[in-house]
Amino acid sequence: MKRRNLIKGLGILPFSGSLLSKAASLNKSAEPPVTPKRDFFKELGVTPVINAGVTMTFLSGSLMAPETLEAINSTSHDFANMYELQDKVGAKIAEMLHVEAAMVTSGAACAMLLGTAACITGTDAEKIKMLPNLPGPRPEVIMQKTHRYLFDQAVSTTGAKIIEVTGPAEMEQAINKNTVMALFFNAAGSSSITHEDFVRIAKKHNIPTFLDAAADVPPVENLFKFQKIGFDLVTFSGGKMIHGPQSAGLLFGRKDLITAARLNHSPHEAPIGRPMKVNKEEMFGMYAALKAYLERDHKKEWEDWLQRAKRIGTKLETVSTVKTKTVVDPGPANAFPSLFVDWDESKVKIKAEEVLKQLKDGTPSIVANRREGTLVVGVVLLRPDQIDVVANRVKTILQKAATA
Ligand SMILES: *Cc1c(COP(=O)(O)O)cnc(C)c1O
């Protein structure tokens, strides 16, 4: 190269160089992380796990979006007044979700506890101080009998008693002067009262309604659907498909109730919600996660999930008798595609249960699921670099069983 050309070339380097590095860093989220200088998994002897399943609390929820991590890392170097931060983050989230008010909680279960507490105490300082040991009859929360689930213990933690009803008439009869709230579990297997009737009956008697939709995105529209129906409070988990911090969640809806919920929460020092503290990073992180989730190209993401399932399925079907199909869970929780894998057990001599065990016990450890005898390989929580790792491992296990 002539000297003049070299100089010319150098002249444009800083510009194109910075563009290149910016493009590279934008692409980082789609790539495996660079090997860290200090490997904390190794240092503590903790096994990193590939999640070929769905979001599960015991498996650390979901992987945080790059935007969530950016918010956490870039805000951790300064202090903030937590009242002000919750004000500002809450206002922004409320604006994004078209509701009066919102707050960041330490998860959907915390949101259920705080929402119930808010309905019991309002802004009464004495009641807030006494909860869960209020004098007099226990506050009552109405639920459909078929909606009872593990998480409703977050409601009873406030001291409230759950009253089970079946059908609109029974719901109406159950309402009395001790009734403080009506809780709707959105992903319940069956309902004897529709969302609309539930809200209508409660409103008629001035009883606040709460809807738990913790794991119910996608579709993204669900983040708007239930406040439109008229629910006074709604919760979504941060640690599920919104890809926020697993130790964060959203509670949103009526302003007076969010105000009361906040009085029952940290950073106030005494109330029932104080042990469910949310820190600055989780608040910024939850805000950034929600914003990124709302702005994401959901169609493209869905296409990507289908491609992943197809890619894994094609690999597995090279093993004799193995048949795969992509199945979209009807939801409302976990409404996304997974790969269902079946084979002729007289030819491929292994049960789905044993495949799961070998996946889990191998290196890297992979967690997948099964439905009866069908192996279910989840695709939505895999990092791009893990798609082939999972496909190859399942294939190797099935192949070995086919020649055994
Ligand atoms: C996951 C889940 C919760 C709890 O959410 P966290 O954010 O982990 O507290 C509550 N309800 C339902 C239906 C859930 O799926």
Side-chain angles (χ1 to χ4, degrees):
M1 199 191 266
K2 280 188 188 149
R3 190 179 139 76
R4 202 178 45 167
N5 285 345
L6 187 69
I7 288 169
K8 228 162 108 189
L10 279 176
I12 61 161
L13 249 186
F15 178 65
S16 59
S18 73
L19 271 186
L20 271 177
S21 66
K22 189 159 181 217
S25 73
L26 282 175
N27 273 332
K28 276 237 172 74
S29 62
E31 283 166 15
V34 221
T35 313
K37 280 206 190 74
R38 185 171 172 189
D39 186 341
F40 285 93
F41 277 96
K42 211 167 174 182
E43 191 169 319
L44 293 171
V46 175
T47 311
V49 176
I50 293 178
N51 189 350
V54 296
T55 55
M56 284 175 285
T57 295
F58 94 94
L59 264 188
S60 62
S62 58
L63 295 183
M64 289 186 272
E67 292 87 349
T68 312
L69 287 168
E70 182 194 13
I72 290 173
N73 287 321
S74 67
T75 57
S76 59
H77 309 286
D78 288 293
F79 293 91
N81 178 309
M82 294 302 292
Y83 294 105
E84 183 198 359
L85 180 56
Q86 185 75 281
D87 279 348
K88 302 276 166 68
V89 160
K92 207 67 186 169
I93 291 173
E95 189 187 315
M96 291 194 281
L97 297 180
H98 312 156
V99 285
E100 289 175 12
M103 66 184 291
V104 178
T105 67
S106 68
C110 170
M112 291 168 69
L113 180 140
L114 292 180
T116 311
C119 292
I120 296 171
T121 66
T123 56
D124 185 324
E126 274 312 299
K127 286 185 178 170
I128 290 169
K129 209 161 139 185
M130 280 187 282
L131 207 66
N133 300 306
L134 290 183
R138 284 173 70 187
E140 295 179 6
V141 171
I142 291 178
M143 281 185 79
Q144 301 185 49
K145 197 181 173 94
T146 55
H147 285 207
R148 292 299 306 273
Y149 61 150
L150 286 173
F151 285 109
D152 65 37
Q153 191 167 1
V155 168
S156 344
T157 303
T158 62
K161 189 163 84 184
I162 292 170
I163 306 296
E164 295 178 0
V165 301
T166 303
E170 236 179 84
M171 176 174 177
E172 191 139 16
Q173 277 159 22
I175 296 173
N176 66 72
K177 63 180 186 339
N178 299 322
T179 309
V180 291
M181 192 180 92
L183 175 71
F184 198 108
F185 168 30
N186 195 50
S190 69
S191 296
S192 56
I193 311 168
T194 63
H195 292 78
E196 287 77 8
D197 281 346
F198 198 83
V199 166
R200 183 179 52 77
I201 294 164
K203 277 213 195 308
K204 186 170 148 197
H205 297 274
N206 221 4
I207 304 298
T209 46
F210 187 119
L211 180 123
D212 172 10
D216 300 354
V217 288
V220 62
E221 289 79 18
N222 278 356
L223 281 162
F224 302 90
K225 184 175 172 184
F226 305 106
Q227 57 270 45
K228 271 192 215 135
I229 292 176
F231 282 91
D232 296 303
L233 288 173
V234 178
T235 184
F236 281 87
S237 179
K240 302 201 172 143
M241 294 304 281
I242 299 177
H243 296 281
Q246 123 124 326
S247 51
L250 298 169
L251 176 62
F252 56 86
R254 242 167 67 186
K255 192 172 177 79
D256 61 322
L257 293 175
I258 297 296
T259 302
R262 285 185 57 183
L263 290 172
N264 277 287
H265 194 216
S266 173
H268 296 283
E269 281 172 338
I272 191 164
R274 173 60 179 76
M276 290 146 234
K277 180 193 273 187
V278 181
N279 201 16
K280 175 182 68 163
E281 286 79 4
E282 293 159 317
M283 289 200 190
F284 280 117
M286 193 64 239
Y287 158 71
L290 178 64
K291 189 162 191 294
Y293 187 73
L294 293 175
E295 288 168 0
R296 180 167 312 171
D297 185 341
H298 295 276
K299 220 176 132 205
K300 200 170 138 209
E301 184 176 58
W302 191 270
E303 279 306 314
D304 176 49
W305 290 339
L306 294 178
Q307 283 302 319
R308 289 166 170 224
K310 195 171 163 196
R311 185 177 173 89
I312 298 172
T314 305
K315 267 206 175 142
L316 298 187
E317 287 194 359
T318 59
V319 180
S320 87
T321 81
V322 171
K323 288 273 168 289
T324 67
K325 64 173 183 237
T326 303
V327 176
V328 176
D329 193 296
N334 301 323
F336 42 68
S338 299
L339 187 72
F340 280 42
V341 188
D342 283 295
W343 54 88
D344 178 349
E345 276 181 31
S346 69
K347 304 265 165 48
V348 181
K349 297 185 186 72
I350 192 166
K351 293 199 176 304
E353 203 174 346
E354 176 60 23
V355 176
L356 291 180
K357 189 181 176 323
Q358 290 188 23
L359 286 171
K360 182 171 165 287
D361 294 344
T363 307
S365 179
I366 298 170
V367 172
N369 287 310
R370 70 182 166 92
R371 289 263 171 96
E372 317 275 318
T374 299
L375 178 70
V376 181
V377 179
V379 296
V380 302
L381 297 175
L382 300 177
R383 292 198 321 249
D385 61 297
Q386 295 172 335
I387 298 166
D388 285 344
V389 175
V390 170
N392 292 337
R393 274 279 294 289
V394 177
K395 184 183 161 183
T396 305
I397 293 169
L398 294 177
Q399 192 106 64
K400 213 169 138 201
T403 51

